[in-house]
PDB file of all heavy atoms in Angstrom:
ATOM      1  N   LYS A 346     -85.221-131.689 100.814  1.00  0.00           N
ATOM      2  CA  LYS A 346     -84.680-130.455 100.247  1.00  0.00           C
ATOM      3  C   LYS A 346     -85.859-129.630  99.774  1.00  0.00           C
ATOM      4  O   LYS A 346     -86.811-130.182  99.216  1.00  0.00           O
ATOM      5  CB  LYS A 346     -83.777-130.748  99.036  1.00  0.00           C
ATOM      6  CG  LYS A 346     -82.474-131.435  99.390  1.00  0.00           C
ATOM      7  CD  LYS A 346     -81.561-131.488  98.180  1.00  0.00           C
ATOM      8  CE  LYS A 346     -80.359-132.366  98.453  1.00  0.00           C
ATOM      9  NZ  LYS A 346     -79.442-132.437  97.295  1.00  0.00           N
ATOM     10  N   CYS A 347     -85.753-128.319  99.963  1.00  0.00           N
ATOM     11  CA  CYS A 347     -86.805-127.454  99.436  1.00  0.00           C
ATOM     12  C   CYS A 347     -86.880-127.614  97.929  1.00  0.00           C
ATOM     13  O   CYS A 347     -87.900-127.370  97.315  1.00  0.00           O
ATOM     14  CB  CYS A 347     -86.533-126.016  99.819  1.00  0.00           C
ATOM     15  SG  CYS A 347     -84.886-125.488  99.367  1.00  0.00           S
ATOM     16  N   SER A 348     -85.765-128.054  97.320  1.00  0.00           N
ATOM     17  CA  SER A 348     -85.687-128.187  95.870  1.00  0.00           C
ATOM     18  C   SER A 348     -85.944-129.623  95.387  1.00  0.00           C
ATOM     19  O   SER A 348     -85.790-129.910  94.202  1.00  0.00           O
ATOM     20  CB  SER A 348     -84.291-127.752  95.410  1.00  0.00           C
ATOM     21  OG  SER A 348     -83.310-128.509  96.096  1.00  0.00           O
ATOM     22  N   ALA A 349     -86.327-130.516  96.284  1.00  0.00           N
ATOM     23  CA  ALA A 349     -86.514-131.924  95.905  1.00  0.00           C
ATOM     24  C   ALA A 349     -87.508-132.065  94.755  1.00  0.00           C
ATOM     25  O   ALA A 349     -88.497-131.341  94.675  1.00  0.00           O
ATOM     26  CB  ALA A 349     -87.017-132.717  97.108  1.00  0.00           C
ATOM     27  N   ALA A 350     -87.251-133.032  93.877  1.00  0.00           N
ATOM     28  CA  ALA A 350     -88.202-133.326  92.799  1.00  0.00           C
ATOM     29  C   ALA A 350     -89.300-134.186  93.401  1.00  0.00           C
ATOM     30  O   ALA A 350     -89.155-135.397  93.544  1.00  0.00           O
ATOM     31  CB  ALA A 350     -87.504-134.069  91.666  1.00  0.00           C
ATOM     32  N   SER A 351     -90.420-133.566  93.761  1.00  0.00           N
ATOM     33  CA  SER A 351     -91.464-134.322  94.445  1.00  0.00           C
ATOM     34  C   SER A 351     -92.619-134.680  93.520  1.00  0.00           C
ATOM     35  O   SER A 351     -93.510-135.425  93.905  1.00  0.00           O
ATOM     36  CB  SER A 351     -91.958-133.536  95.668  1.00  0.00           C
ATOM     37  OG  SER A 351     -92.326-132.238  95.290  1.00  0.00           O
ATOM     38  N   ARG A 352     -92.588-134.114  92.297  1.00  0.00           N
ATOM     39  CA  ARG A 352     -93.633-134.459  91.313  1.00  0.00           C
ATOM     40  C   ARG A 352     -92.962-134.734  89.975  1.00  0.00           C
ATOM     41  O   ARG A 352     -92.138-133.939  89.518  1.00  0.00           O
ATOM     42  CB  ARG A 352     -94.605-133.283  91.124  1.00  0.00           C
ATOM     43  CG  ARG A 352     -95.369-132.901  92.375  1.00  0.00           C
ATOM     44  CD  ARG A 352     -96.342-131.765  92.069  1.00  0.00           C
ATOM     45  NE  ARG A 352     -95.662-130.507  91.783  1.00  0.00           N
ATOM     46  CZ  ARG A 352     -96.204-129.515  91.075  1.00  0.00           C
ATOM     47  NH1 ARG A 352     -97.420-129.635  90.556  1.00  0.00           N
ATOM     48  NH2 ARG A 352     -95.531-128.396  90.886  1.00  0.00           N
ATOM     49  N   VAL A 353     -93.334-135.839  89.360  1.00  0.00           N
ATOM     50  CA  VAL A 353     -92.791-136.156  88.036  1.00  0.00           C
ATOM     51  C   VAL A 353     -93.960-136.283  87.066  1.00  0.00           C
ATOM     52  O   VAL A 353     -94.919-137.018  87.329  1.00  0.00           O
ATOM     53  CB  VAL A 353     -91.977-137.474  88.066  1.00  0.00           C
ATOM     54  CG1 VAL A 353     -91.390-137.777  86.694  1.00  0.00           C
ATOM     55  CG2 VAL A 353     -90.869-137.397  89.105  1.00  0.00           C
ATOM     56  N   LEU A 354     -93.871-135.547  85.957  1.00  0.00           N
ATOM     57  CA  LEU A 354     -94.957-135.548  84.968  1.00  0.00           C
ATOM     58  C   LEU A 354     -94.376-136.027  83.639  1.00  0.00           C
ATOM     59  O   LEU A 354     -93.457-135.403  83.106  1.00  0.00           O
ATOM     60  CB  LEU A 354     -95.531-134.131  84.843  1.00  0.00           C
ATOM     61  CG  LEU A 354     -96.067-133.586  86.182  1.00  0.00           C
ATOM     62  CD1 LEU A 354     -96.244-132.069  86.144  1.00  0.00           C
ATOM     63  CD2 LEU A 354     -97.372-134.274  86.561  1.00  0.00           C
ATOM     64  N   VAL A 355     -94.904-137.125  83.154  1.00  0.00           N
ATOM     65  CA  VAL A 355     -94.276-137.806  82.017  1.00  0.00           C
ATOM     66  C   VAL A 355     -95.267-137.935  80.856  1.00  0.00           C
ATOM     67  O   VAL A 355     -96.412-138.370  81.052  1.00  0.00           O
ATOM     68  CB  VAL A 355     -93.828-139.235  82.409  1.00  0.00           C
ATOM     69  CG1 VAL A 355     -92.877-139.795  81.362  1.00  0.00           C
ATOM     70  CG2 VAL A 355     -93.195-139.248  83.788  1.00  0.00           C
ATOM     71  N   GLU A 356     -94.794-137.623  79.657  1.00  0.00           N
ATOM     72  CA  GLU A 356     -95.652-137.791  78.482  1.00  0.00           C
ATOM     73  C   GLU A 356     -95.907-139.280  78.229  1.00  0.00           C
ATOM     74  O   GLU A 356     -94.993-140.114  78.345  1.00  0.00           O
ATOM     75  CB  GLU A 356     -95.009-137.138  77.253  1.00  0.00           C
ATOM     76  CG  GLU A 356     -95.326-135.644  77.176  1.00  0.00           C
ATOM     77  CD  GLU A 356     -95.222-135.114  75.757  1.00  0.00           C
ATOM     78  OE1 GLU A 356     -94.107-135.113  75.206  1.00  0.00           O
ATOM     79  OE2 GLU A 356     -96.269-134.721  75.187  1.00  0.00           O
ATOM     80  N   GLU A 357     -97.128-139.544  77.864  1.00  0.00           N
ATOM     81  CA  GLU A 357     -97.628-140.905  77.743  1.00  0.00           C
ATOM     82  C   GLU A 357     -96.736-141.863  76.924  1.00  0.00           C
ATOM     83  O   GLU A 357     -96.455-142.975  77.392  1.00  0.00           O
ATOM     84  CB  GLU A 357     -99.059-140.825  77.181  1.00  0.00           C
ATOM     85  CG  GLU A 357     -99.937-142.022  77.433  1.00  0.00           C
ATOM     86  CD  GLU A 357     -99.780-143.057  76.339  1.00  0.00           C
ATOM     87  OE1 GLU A 357     -99.623-142.635  75.180  1.00  0.00           O
ATOM     88  OE2 GLU A 357     -99.800-144.258  76.648  1.00  0.00           O
ATOM     89  N   PRO A 358     -96.221-141.441  75.739  1.00  0.00           N
ATOM     90  CA  PRO A 358     -95.449-142.409  74.928  1.00  0.00           C
ATOM     91  C   PRO A 358     -94.193-142.937  75.615  1.00  0.00           C
ATOM     92  O   PRO A 358     -93.707-144.013  75.238  1.00  0.00           O
ATOM     93  CB  PRO A 358     -95.075-141.604  73.672  1.00  0.00           C
ATOM     94  CG  PRO A 358     -96.033-140.465  73.628  1.00  0.00           C
ATOM     95  CD  PRO A 358     -96.410-140.157  75.036  1.00  0.00           C
ATOM     96  N   VAL A 359     -93.621-142.195  76.567  1.00  0.00           N
ATOM     97  CA  VAL A 359     -92.387-142.681  77.209  1.00  0.00           C
ATOM     98  C   VAL A 359     -92.612-143.032  78.678  1.00  0.00           C
ATOM     99  O   VAL A 359     -91.667-143.342  79.403  1.00  0.00           O
ATOM    100  CB  VAL A 359     -91.241-141.637  77.087  1.00  0.00           C
ATOM    101  CG1 VAL A 359     -90.810-141.486  75.639  1.00  0.00           C
ATOM    102  CG2 VAL A 359     -91.627-140.286  77.690  1.00  0.00           C
TER     103      VAL A 359
END
Side-chain angles (χ1 to χ4, degrees):
K346 291 189 189 180
C347 53
S348 56
S351 53
R352 298 182 291 157
V353 181
L354 302 163
V355 194
E356 275 204 295
E357 201 272 323
V359 293

